[in-house]
């Protein structure tokens, strides 16, 4: 089965109404057009950014909002734990280049996903 893979967690992917944990203007940088998520970084119950590996397989956080020094320090500690876990291995992820460059994620398959289908956030 290989090593670890970067993938979204059940909360990130399990709820169509993401308004309670993701500001709508940040959505195109973290989700593609069909609702697939990048590997996310959560702060205080909401998505604050994503993470990606650089050319040397070091984990880098791409913040999509302002985060205080204390949270950045805690995120750096989590990055250190993740890097120790993957032991320098490249973790395959679909949107690594777009994330690294801070670009919006691409449209895929011609199907536009809309968070507005269930804005209540009450379930899939």
């Amino acid at each position: 089965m290989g090593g670890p893979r970067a993938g979204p967690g059940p909360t990130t992917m399990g709820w169509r109404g993401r308004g309670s944990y993701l500001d709508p203007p940040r959505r195109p940088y973290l989700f593609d057009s069909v609702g697939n998520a990048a590997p996310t970084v959560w702060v205080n119950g909401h998505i604050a950014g994503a993470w990606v590996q650089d050319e040397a397989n070091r984990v880098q956080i791409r913040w999509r909002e302002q985060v205080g020094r204390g949270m950045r320090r805690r995120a750096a500690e989590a990055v250190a734990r993740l890097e120790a876990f993957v032991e320098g291995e490249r973790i395959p992820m679909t949107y690594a280049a777009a994330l690294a460059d801070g670009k919006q994620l691409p449209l895929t398959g011609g199907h536009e996903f809309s968070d507005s289908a269930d804005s209540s956030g009450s379930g899939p």
Side-chain angles (χ1 to χ4, degrees):
M1 299 209 52
R5 295 188 57 83
T11 300
T12 306
M13 293 299 296
W15 300 87
R16 289 187 71 156
R18 296 181 170 117
S20 65
Y21 60 84
L22 177 66
D23 285 340
R26 294 187 177 97
R27 188 192 172 287
Y29 298 93
L30 300 166
F31 291 85
D32 69 15
S33 63
V34 294
N36 297 312
T40 54
V41 177
W42 289 68
V43 173
N44 294 329
H46 67 276
I47 298 173
W51 64 268
V52 65
Q53 287 175 296
D54 64 17
E55 301 81 28
N57 295 340
R58 293 180 305 247
V59 173
Q60 303 291 318
I61 295 177
R62 298 297 186 237
W63 296 106
R64 300 306 309 170
E65 65 180 56
Q66 293 293 320
V67 177
R69 281 184 288 188
M71 282 298 171
R72 285 183 181 267
R73 188 171 35 254
R74 291 180 65 190
E77 292 166 0
V79 163
R81 289 190 306 273
L82 177 58
E83 288 179 333
F85 176 72
V86 300
E87 298 177 325
E89 293 287 323
R90 170 63 89 198
I91 300 173
M93 62 179 71
T94 305
Y95 300 118
L99 288 170
D101 293 340
K103 296 179 181 176
Q104 292 186 3
L105 300 189
L107 299 176
T108 59
H111 303 283
E112 186 62 30
F113 179 83
S114 172
D115 286 343
S116 63
D118 175 14
S119 60
S120 69
S122 61

